[in-house]
Amino acid sequence: MSSSITFEKNNPYDPITLSIWDDKYAVQAPIVLEDATLLKDCMFIYKAKMKFVNDAAGQAAPETTIVKFSSGDPCQMMKMEKEANFYVDHLRTTYGNGVPTFYGLYKGDYSRKDRRSKLHTGKCACLVLQYCGEPLGIAMFKELENDRPFRQKLVELFERLHIQLGIWHRDLYPYDVLNKDGEPFIIDFSIASLHKCEISVAIVEGEVEPSPRLIPCPEFARFLNALDTWWLPTVTVWHRGLYVTNNRVKSAAYIFERIRLDRRLREDGLTDEDFWNEAVVAWKTIRSHWAKYHPKDSTIPDLGITDYEEYLGQKDDSDEDDAAAEIW
């Protein structure tokens, strides 16, 4: 039996049987889609239950799928064919692991009646993919700030697609990412292409933002910038107004003294010790990545003083020395 797919119990279309578009897209033949529910009217995207007709015993549970359907639009069909090619040729190793499993591209003829009972017929096609969860429901990637585990997995997935597989999505927005039980899936590879992603730095959350030349891939750089809080940036804004240029920092005291000089920050109600503790955390992060992000000065500075009481004691001694020098 040739590869085919059958829509049953669908509205507004009558039951339709479509044949495989090309043998390269055959997955398992034939399959039946039931209880199709329209998700996006303008794009004809359905959610449907899929079962394999070859399952004679009928014991396998129906698989939930997403069906991209097109009728009478040659451009849209060509776009679907390109996406199907990309799934088969370049994404096969990632099926079910960050990328939907591909279940085939099919074509055929359709017939349906409009509200006035007028019959419409023509050519149609559909792309069938694994259901991989729900949209994130956010407008910007930076809204993932409070879901660090998911954000980490998403970056790792994007890194795998780019660096290991050389895939450039070319149209990645929050609505192209789904969440399936805490696991991210990236969808819509209709305009994706291949490229050589030459990133020469580890993508680790909390590191100092590297030089742009270390992440020459524009899509990857834009994605990380869109997360907003992934890097400790080259210039850090502390407490709504204090700028600290990280490649000039030589100690925790440097950051702390900058804070103390800014009177506007005293309105925050935090103590000097609170500011000191924050300065120490920032300095430790900057110092731990010094050689990587300051290649012209790869000598890692001493950690120096990190205890607040020790810092105060040293500062008092320094003030006394300055006073004695003025007397003489």
Side-chain angles (χ1 to χ4, degrees):
M1 183 180 293
S2 62
S3 299
S4 64
I5 184 172
T6 301
F7 275 90
E8 294 182 354
K9 305 176 186 177
N10 303 294
N11 185 29
Y13 296 94
D14 295 329
I16 311 171
T17 297
L18 298 91
S19 60
I20 197 70
W21 184 298
D22 187 279
D23 286 343
K24 72 176 291 185
Y25 305 129
V27 178
Q28 183 172 340
I31 62 177
V32 174
L33 293 179
E34 296 181 326
D35 302 324
T37 303
L38 188 63
L39 297 182
K40 295 184 178 180
D41 193 10
C42 61
M43 300 178 66
F44 292 102
I45 296 179
Y46 293 83
K47 184 177 181 181
K49 296 293 185 180
M50 181 189 75
K51 64 181 181 181
F52 293 108
V53 175
N54 291 344
D55 177 24
Q59 295 179 352
E63 174 101 21
T64 303
T65 61
I66 294 296
V67 183
K68 292 185 176 181
F69 190 88
S70 178
S71 58
D73 187 343
C75 292
Q76 184 65 24
M77 291 184 188
M78 290 177 61
K79 189 175 181 181
M80 288 168 55
E81 183 181 17
K82 181 179 179 181
E83 184 171 11
N85 272 318
F86 208 83
Y87 271 101
V88 173
D89 295 339
H90 307 296
L91 293 170
R92 193 184 297 271
T93 60
T94 65
Y95 287 175
N97 184 21
V99 170
T101 298
F102 172 78
Y103 290 123
L105 177 65
Y106 305 86
K107 63 181 178 180
D109 299 302
Y110 76 90
S111 64
R112 68 179 177 88
K113 294 182 179 180
D114 61 21
R115 295 178 180 178
R116 298 180 180 180
S117 297
K118 182 179 180 179
L119 183 66
H120 297 265
T121 61
K123 299 294 182 182
C124 64
C126 68
L127 178 72
V128 185
L129 301 167
Q130 172 193 11
Y131 168 75
C132 294
E134 296 298 319
L136 299 181
I138 59 176
M140 297 178 287
F141 281 118
K142 69 178 183 179
E143 296 178 54
L144 293 173
E145 179 181 2
N146 296 325
D147 191 350
R148 295 184 64 180
F150 184 87
R151 183 175 62 174
Q152 174 70 43
K153 292 177 181 178
L154 178 57
V155 172
E156 291 173 355
L157 170 59
F158 203 62
E159 186 175 13
R160 174 156 49 88
L161 291 176
H162 261 263
I163 299 176
Q164 295 181 15
L165 300 177
I167 292 173
W168 186 8
H169 188 278
R170 298 182 65 195
D171 193 37
L172 188 72
Y173 292 94
Y175 52 74
D176 296 310
V177 179
L178 305 178
N179 185 339
K180 185 179 182 182
D181 301 323
E183 298 296 326
F185 279 78
I186 293 177
I187 60 172
D188 193 1
F189 292 87
S190 58
I191 63 171
S193 62
L194 299 181
H195 82 135
K196 186 176 181 180
C197 196
E198 298 178 335
I199 296 178
S200 56
V201 63
I203 308 300
V204 180
E205 183 176 14
E207 291 191 350
V208 178
E209 183 178 5
S211 166
R213 65 182 175 82
L214 299 179
I215 305 184
C217 174
E219 181 171 70
F220 214 127
R222 284 195 300 269
F223 172 63
L224 293 174
N225 289 334
L227 289 175
D228 192 44
T229 58
W230 184 261
W231 303 112
L232 176 65
T234 302
V235 176
T236 304
V237 182
W238 300 92
H239 294 283
R240 304 190 304 274
L242 178 71
Y243 286 81
V244 176
T245 305
N246 294 324
N247 60 6
R248 296 181 182 178
V249 177
K250 304 293 183 180
S251 66
Y254 173 89
I255 299 175
F256 180 68
E257 292 297 335
R258 290 291 305 276
I259 293 173
R260 294 190 65 186
L261 290 173
D262 197 319
R263 294 182 179 179
R264 292 172 300 168
L265 303 180
R266 316 312 296 176
E267 299 175 359
D268 287 352
L270 301 179
T271 66
D272 281 353
E273 188 168 4
D274 292 329
F275 286 128
W276 171 262
N277 290 334
E278 184 171 352
V280 169
V281 171
W283 167 234
K284 285 183 176 179
T285 303
I286 294 169
R287 179 183 175 276
S288 67
H289 305 296
W290 190 274
K292 182 181 296 184
Y293 297 106
H294 305 281
K296 294 182 180 179
D297 183 14
S298 59
T299 302
I300 300 176
D302 293 333
L303 182 60
I305 297 174
T306 58
D307 180 78
Y308 183 58
E309 295 300 329
E310 184 180 356
Y311 163 76
L312 291 179
Q314 184 194 58
K315 184 169 179 59
D316 290 341
D317 292 341
S318 176
D319 291 341
E320 290 177 2
D321 292 341
D322 291 341
E326 291 180 3
I327 294 174
W328 287 100

